[in-house]
Amino acid sequence: MREIFLSASVPNPDNPNFETEGNPTLIHAAVRELVYLILGNDDLRLVWGGHPAITPMILQFCQSLGVDDGKKVTLYQSKFFGGAMPPENERFKDVVLVDPVDQSREDSLTAMRVAMLGRPDLDSAVFIGGMKGLYQEYALFRELHPDGRAVFVASTGGVAGTLAKDFGYEAGNTLDFGRLYRKALL
């Protein structure tokens, strides 16, 4: 089964990791279309880190479609966040908890990212919206999967929009997310 990594968040100007504005409505729509594509394809699995703005969306999509999430999605979370994890995390069947590193938020996030991006069946990554952590996730994806497919959804803004511009990725500047994903990932 092919695995697709989702790197997404809704940029929040009050967060110290904020870099550039994103469009929450388009981020939601882009995540929804990616999840629907993966849930509807027997050969695909979604892997992501438990961002509190994204995880509830994914749970809602799985439930609304009646999909057994244990067979289609894998959620990673750092134990560093302990009691601050979204309650939705407990409702997923396949959750990988990564031990914290020296009580350091950044080192703990790096350890989680290395664990989830080191999965051997991961062959693609989709970047939507996002804040500064998206840069690290892209760099790790490239390091661990140099031939993997990277899809930047520029129209959602955030760091994904910045990376799309940096790499001249014109395809991601669309609102037809389903078509973008089918063309880039299938």
Side-chain angles (χ1 to χ4, degrees):
M1 178 177 285
R2 290 181 47 224
E3 295 181 340
I4 298 173
F5 173 66
L6 169 62
S7 179
S9 69
V10 178
N12 177 354
D14 297 330
N15 188 305
N17 291 308
F18 176 79
E19 184 167 296
T20 184
E21 294 287 333
N23 183 315
T25 301
L26 292 180
I27 291 167
H28 185 275
V31 170
R32 182 189 66 232
E33 288 298 316
L34 178 65
V35 173
Y36 285 173
L37 175 78
I38 292 170
L39 295 180
N41 188 314
D42 291 339
D43 299 325
L44 299 177
R45 178 176 202 81
L46 178 68
V47 176
W48 85 102
H51 191 280
I54 303 302
T55 299
M57 279 191 254
I58 295 173
L59 179 63
Q60 179 187 22
F61 301 148
C62 289
Q63 290 177 335
S64 70
L65 295 174
V67 171
D68 179 355
D69 64 81
K71 295 179 180 178
K72 296 298 295 177
V73 300
T74 300
L75 165 63
Y76 276 76
Q77 186 70 62
S78 172
K79 290 181 184 178
F80 176 84
F81 296 104
M85 292 184 211
E88 290 84 1
N89 285 15
E90 296 176 17
R91 297 176 62 192
F92 284 99
K93 294 177 183 169
D94 189 8
V95 178
V96 179
L97 296 173
V98 179
D99 289 329
V101 177
D102 300 328
Q103 298 307 310
S104 164
R105 180 184 191 278
E106 289 309 312
D107 291 347
S108 296
L109 282 171
T110 297
M112 182 192 74
R113 289 172 173 142
V114 168
M116 76 182 159
L117 287 162
R119 294 174 68 98
D121 293 329
L122 204 65
D123 73 358
S124 303
V126 177
F127 300 91
I128 300 171
M131 295 188 287
K132 290 180 183 176
L134 195 138
Y135 289 120
Q136 185 182 27
E137 291 175 355
Y138 172 71
L140 279 169
F141 176 71
R142 268 294 150 243
E143 178 184 329
L144 298 170
H145 305 279
D147 297 325
R149 292 173 270 199
V151 178
F152 305 106
V153 185
S155 57
T156 60
V159 171
T162 301
L163 285 172
K165 289 178 192 169
D166 291 350
F167 292 109
Y169 188 79
E170 297 298 322
N173 199 16
T174 181
L175 298 180
D176 190 349
F177 305 121
R179 183 172 184 222
L180 171 68
Y181 300 145
R182 286 188 302 277
K183 190 172 183 180
L185 300 171
L186 298 181

